[in-house]
Amino acid sequence: MIKRFLFLLLVISSFASCKKAEKPTQVGLIAKNAVVVSARAEASQIGVDVIKKGGNAFDSMCATQLALAVAYPFAGNLGGGGFMVYRKADGEIGSIDFREKAPLAATRDMYLDDNGEVIPDKSILGAMAVGVPGTIAGVFDIHEKFGSLPIEDIIQPVIDLAYKGVIVTKKQEARIKKYQPLFPKANKEPIFLDKPWKANEVITYPELAKTLERILENGKDEFYKGETAKTLVQFIQDNGGIITEEDLSKYEAKWRDPITFTYDDLNIISMGPPASGGICLAQIMKMLEPFHLDEYGHNSVKSIQAITEAERRAYADRSFFLGDPDFVKIPISTLIKDDYLSGRMLDFSFEKATPSSEVSHGNIQIIESDETTHFSIVDPFGNAIATTTTLNGAYGSKLYCSELGFFLNNEMDDFSSKPGAPNMFGLLGAEANKIEPEKRMLSSMTPTIIEKNGKLYMTLGSPGGATIITSVLQTILNVHEYKMSMQAAVNAARFHHQWLPDEISMEPNSFNKTLITQLEALGYTINEKDSPVIGKVDGILVLEDNSYEGGADRRGDDTAIGF
Ligand code: DON
């Protein structure tokens, strides 16, 4: 009887939410030649200008990455790191890891007190939270390998923007206000964001402009071995940090093989470890492939159930298996194999939720904070890039080097501060991602490129900590399964499950109450309040006539510009 009642409710709610699903009426920017979509119009414009000047997607990537450090200091950075996946016009694919590293003096227990307890905020706020930055190495390595314009053509427009300044948006005003109480806790001296900036005011960045001028003059060695390196190390140490000149001089970005897998007729190319994005995305999509999501309907009870259960299992594996591949052995091919993944879903039934406590491994909550940024670029030659870059938290560690003009990351918090935590599975889970000198901390970043029929189809990615993977996943499914435009796919309401805590986070006021009641009746805990937005996806879709549609996320100031 109860089963029948539930089934009826399922049918009604699936129907209701199908009707509510966003139809492909929202269309993003359409352009014939090239598109750059990033968190700020100023950065997208610089990226497009570089292409108009004859540059390719790689030149544009370097310019956009640096421009975001000026236009979007919340997450854009010189003091952080990131990942880029690329697909060249000739079909060559690859990826580069410019993730931060733990300093040489880092130790496994560096964030614990004498009783072995985690010291609140030590891995989050201030100089002890900072990992060795990778961004400048990434930019220069990408330019050296694939760039076509002289480096002046890429860096000079960014320097000009830094001198000219950037207008404060309404959303930026709110962000600055929100994080202002933390800046004095991380910095000995006042910083420029202590001032109450209002929308429409202009912030100039003369110190950052000067740093970029020296980098333009002396190349990446300026940042890792030159005057900038010395100033940076002195500054970090004066503020109580442990990064040395040796740490900076030893930093190298790494070209890595991307993770590739198929889903229906799509060939998906995403970032491998130390980013968990590619493996988790592959696991979730492979677990979902046998289900008929298109028939269930977008954000219907059945779709949400299937996606949630696949996410739950993938995030449990993430916690146990994944870390820096230079330090831990990761069974990548097994983890994304069909038979392994179909086995993982054997205990799933639409009748009721599988409790996370019954899914291995362990009880470690993935704690990630909430700002990063993604940008996607396609050029007139047919090259495509997807880059996700971050300071980790909002304005990173909040430590701002006024002399050099940029914020430092708090990426050290992406390590497991306390290996051996609460339970047997937790212990093992923490091991793969424990702190070790020169190790890269595990990331959720998921820059992704998709081919269809052997041709470029989509490039996308997102910020959002642990929700990055599930935001990218849902956007792909929105286009492929639910036939949405790129913009509609980006706009659509998102939900997220990460194994622990055992709950589905949902964007508030975006899912109807009947649907939520139905999921609760099936044993799912719904959390609407703690997640104002989930992810902030920027993507580009290749349309049938070979033009591009840029989808910029309305949750931020994100803007697609093209021609
Ligand atoms: O690498 C990671 O997974 C995190 N440091 C990303 C942080 C993030 O996305 C915050 N953004 N919204």
Side-chain angles (χ1 to χ4, degrees):
M1 181 63 190
I2 289 177
K3 266 192 200 162
R4 241 202 237 160
F5 174 67
L6 282 176
F7 177 72
L8 191 69
L9 286 178
L10 267 179
V11 172
I12 294 168
S13 69
S14 304
F15 179 67
S17 53
C18 277
K19 276 180 64 183
K20 222 192 143 220
E22 307 201 32
K23 295 276 181 296
T25 47
Q26 304 141 287
V27 177
L29 170 97
I30 306 284
K32 275 246 153 300
N33 298 292
V35 178
V36 179
V37 50
S38 81
R40 282 290 300 234
E42 293 82 351
S44 299
Q45 189 63 57
I46 282 183
V48 164
D49 290 346
V50 161
I51 295 177
K52 281 192 174 158
K53 209 168 178 181
N56 60 25
F58 299 98
D59 296 312
S60 177
M61 180 278 170
C62 298
T64 308
Q65 168 77 46
L66 296 177
L68 282 166
V70 178
Y72 195 59
F74 193 56
N77 63 82
L78 262 58
F83 301 97
M84 180 190 81
V85 172
Y86 67 86
R87 182 187 186 275
K88 289 175 67 184
D90 62 6
E92 179 190 323
I93 59 168
S95 63
I96 185 166
D97 154 3
F98 50 100
R99 179 72 161 167
E100 298 90 327
K101 290 173 66 171
L104 285 156
T107 59
R108 174 183 163 129
D109 296 340
M110 63 191 277
Y111 299 118
L112 305 185
D113 64 16
D114 291 344
N115 298 322
E117 299 302 329
V118 174
I119 303 166
D121 282 350
K122 196 173 178 187
S123 66
I124 295 174
L125 199 57
M128 278 302 285
V130 182
V132 183
T135 291
I136 292 297
V139 164
F140 274 84
D141 288 8
I142 291 164
H143 181 259
E144 189 183 324
K145 191 159 174 174
F146 293 126
S148 64
L149 290 182
I151 195 78
E152 305 81 75
D153 288 350
I154 286 157
I155 301 184
Q156 192 58 49
V158 183
I159 294 171
D160 296 344
L161 179 70
Y163 279 125
K164 181 169 146 240
V166 180
I167 294 175
V168 176
T169 65
K170 275 207 146 334
K171 285 181 178 144
Q172 190 179 6
E173 177 189 324
R175 279 197 301 264
I176 293 172
K177 200 166 166 217
K178 177 172 172 193
Y179 292 103
Q180 235 159 21
L182 296 173
F183 298 128
K185 293 188 179 167
N187 293 278
K188 282 187 179 163
E189 306 290 330
I191 69 164
F192 75 111
L193 285 184
D194 291 328
K195 181 184 160 224
W197 291 98
K198 291 271 172 271
N200 296 321
E201 287 185 289
V202 173
I203 309 184
T204 59
Y205 298 87
E207 296 84 8
L208 181 53
K210 290 198 182 73
T211 300
L212 287 166
E213 280 170 345
R214 286 195 307 277
I215 291 173
L216 172 55
E217 178 83 16
N218 303 319
K220 83 172 165 189
D221 277 357
E222 172 63 30
F223 191 90
Y224 291 100
K225 294 177 181 160
E227 183 191 328
T228 302
K230 290 184 178 38
T231 306
L232 182 57
V233 166
Q234 192 62 54
F235 171 75
I236 292 174
Q237 293 185 357
D238 285 351
N239 279 276
I242 55 171
I243 289 180
T244 61
E245 286 185 35
E246 190 184 0
D247 281 314
L248 284 178
S249 70
K250 285 186 83 174
Y251 185 88
E252 283 182 346
K254 290 203 166 177
W255 295 95
R256 297 195 188 269
D257 289 337
I259 300 292
T260 59
F261 63 98
T262 59
Y263 178 88
D264 293 346
D265 59 348
L266 305 179
N267 186 36
I268 298 173
I269 304 142
S270 192
M271 193 69 217
S276 60
I279 291 178
C280 287
L281 188 66
Q283 288 199 312
I284 297 168
M285 293 193 79
K286 286 283 180 201
M287 283 187 260
L288 287 174
E289 206 171 15
F291 295 89
H292 302 286
L293 298 181
D294 51 346
E295 288 168 19
Y296 306 156
H298 174 246
N299 282 353
S300 62
V301 171
K302 281 187 84 172
S303 281
I304 292 177
Q305 276 190 277
I307 292 169
T308 294
E309 295 299 341
E311 289 175 355
R312 185 198 307 280
R313 288 155 176 82
Y315 275 79
D317 275 359
R318 177 197 193 275
S319 183
F320 183 76
F321 290 110
L322 304 188
D324 182 345
D326 296 342
F327 284 72
V328 288
K329 213 167 159 36
I330 304 170
I332 296 179
S333 56
T334 309
L335 284 173
I336 62 174
K337 238 189 210 135
D338 286 326
D339 48 359
Y340 170 71
L341 292 167
S342 53
R344 295 280 285 154
M345 283 298 263
L346 279 181
D347 58 348
F348 163 62
S349 132
F350 282 112
E351 301 277 311
K352 67 175 178 66
T354 316
S356 285
S357 54
E358 287 174 19
V359 173
S360 56
H361 301 272
N363 253 328
I364 289 197
Q365 190 173 330
I366 299 160
I367 301 163
E368 288 180 83
S369 50
D370 63 1
E371 261 319 326
T372 292
T373 191
H374 175 85
F375 56 97
S376 283
I377 301 176
V378 290
D379 70 16
F381 313 105
N383 303 303
I385 67 99
T387 301
T388 313
T389 180
T390 194
L391 290 164
N392 193 21
Y395 305 104
S397 60
K398 319 291 184 280
L399 183 66
Y400 178 79
C401 181
S402 296
E403 199 177 338
L404 298 174
F406 59 87
F407 280 101
L408 277 308
N409 69 81
N410 59 351
E411 220 70 65
M412 290 296 286
D413 192 56
D414 273 348
F415 281 117
S416 302
S417 291
K418 192 183 174 186
N423 62 51
M424 58 190 259
F425 299 114
L427 172 66
L428 295 166
E431 278 299 307
N433 191 31
K434 69 181 178 193
I435 303 171
E436 294 177 76
E438 295 202 86
K439 188 176 179 184
R440 284 155 151 96
M441 53 298 280
L442 183 61
S443 170
S444 297
M445 291 192 265
T446 316
T448 299
I449 293 181
I450 302 178
E451 297 172 338
K452 192 170 174 172
N453 302 323
K455 295 202 316 218
L456 177 67
Y457 183 54
M458 206 190 296
T459 157
L460 79 166
S462 178
T467 71
I468 291 175
I469 300 162
T470 53
S471 300
V472 170
L473 164 79
Q474 285 167 85
T475 309
I476 298 170
L477 295 176
N478 289 347
V479 172
H480 178 74
E481 296 282 1
Y482 309 119
K483 309 292 175 247
M484 294 187 197
S485 66
M486 188 78 247
Q487 188 62 55
V490 165
N491 293 349
R494 293 193 274 264
F495 62 93
H496 168 76
H497 196 292
Q498 61 175 50
W499 178 47
L500 293 171
D502 189 352
E503 62 184 23
I504 303 177
S505 330
M506 287 183 163
E507 290 185 309
N509 309 317
S510 309
F511 292 81
N512 72 50
K513 294 291 165 231
T514 322
L515 174 116
I516 291 174
T517 310
Q518 295 327 299
L519 287 165
E520 284 171 343
L522 287 161
Y524 294 95
T525 301
I526 307 295
N527 180 352
E528 274 193 296
K529 54 186 185 305
D530 292 346
S531 40
V533 300
I534 294 182
K536 202 151 64 68
V537 177
D538 285 339
I540 304 168
L541 180 68
V542 182
L543 304 177
E544 267 174 21
D545 66 355
N546 287 325
S547 57
Y548 300 118
E549 185 198 351
D553 204 321
R554 62 174 182 192
R555 293 165 180 82
D557 292 318
D558 302 43
T559 309
I561 299 181
F563 64 98

